[in-house]
Amino acid sequence: QVQLVESGGGLVQAGGSLRLSCAASGRTFSRYTMAWFRQAPGKEREFVAAISWSGGSTYYPDSVKGRFTISRDNAKNTVYLQMNSLKPEDTAVYYCAADPRLRIALSHHEYDYWGQGTQVTVSS
């Protein structure tokens, strides 16, 4: 069992940056694949980034590749999402998710644990 708490969302102008954090409880954090998803009003939950348990592998969709970076600090039980060159279309609620299986899944259906979400709003 793991509990996730996101922070770092807010309002930023287009072209700006934000860093999201997701703090996890539990002693087995280092065994989890971690990911970020986002959901805009009226849209499906969308995969944003994932990182393997060791941090050695990361995955991004084309929509954020080169602008977003996912990282983790297993000593601090925390995963981060650095978002640069933000665009208005990045506006959404961003969720942190954890998967205890040793794999990288890109569908939100595959993740067992979720945070409450943090709002990111990018103004034009």
Side-chain angles (χ1 to χ4, degrees), residues 41-123:
K43 293 190 176 182
E44 293 280 324
R45 191 162 294 193
E46 177 189 16
F47 170 72
V48 174
I51 188 166
S52 62
W53 66 272
S54 67
S57 297
T58 57
Y59 294 85
Y60 307 92
D62 288 343
S63 58
V64 307
K65 195 174 294 182
R67 300 188 298 122
F68 291 10
T69 303
I70 189 172
S71 61
R72 67 190 297 162
D73 185 338
N74 287 342
K76 295 183 178 179
N77 279 14
T78 302
V79 63
Y80 305 97
L81 183 69
Q82 178 67 43
M83 304 186 294
N84 299 329
S85 302
L86 282 161
K87 305 174 181 180
E89 51 263 44
D90 294 319
T91 296
V93 177
Y94 283 70
Y95 297 92
C96 175
D99 178 3
R101 305 163 192 85
L102 295 178
R103 62 179 183 181
I104 296 285
L106 306 187
S107 169
H108 65 276
H109 297 292
E110 304 295 333
Y111 286 80
D112 293 352
Y113 305 104
W114 292 86
Q116 82 290 350
T118 185
Q119 177 70 46
V120 171
T121 302
V122 184
S123 64

Side-chain angles (χ1 to χ4, degrees), residues 2 5 18-21 24 28 44 49 73 85 100 105 111 122-123:
V2 63
V5 179
L18 280 176
R19 188 195 196 201
L20 305 183
S21 299
T28 58
E44 293 280 324
D73 185 338
S85 302
Y111 286 80
V122 184
S123 64

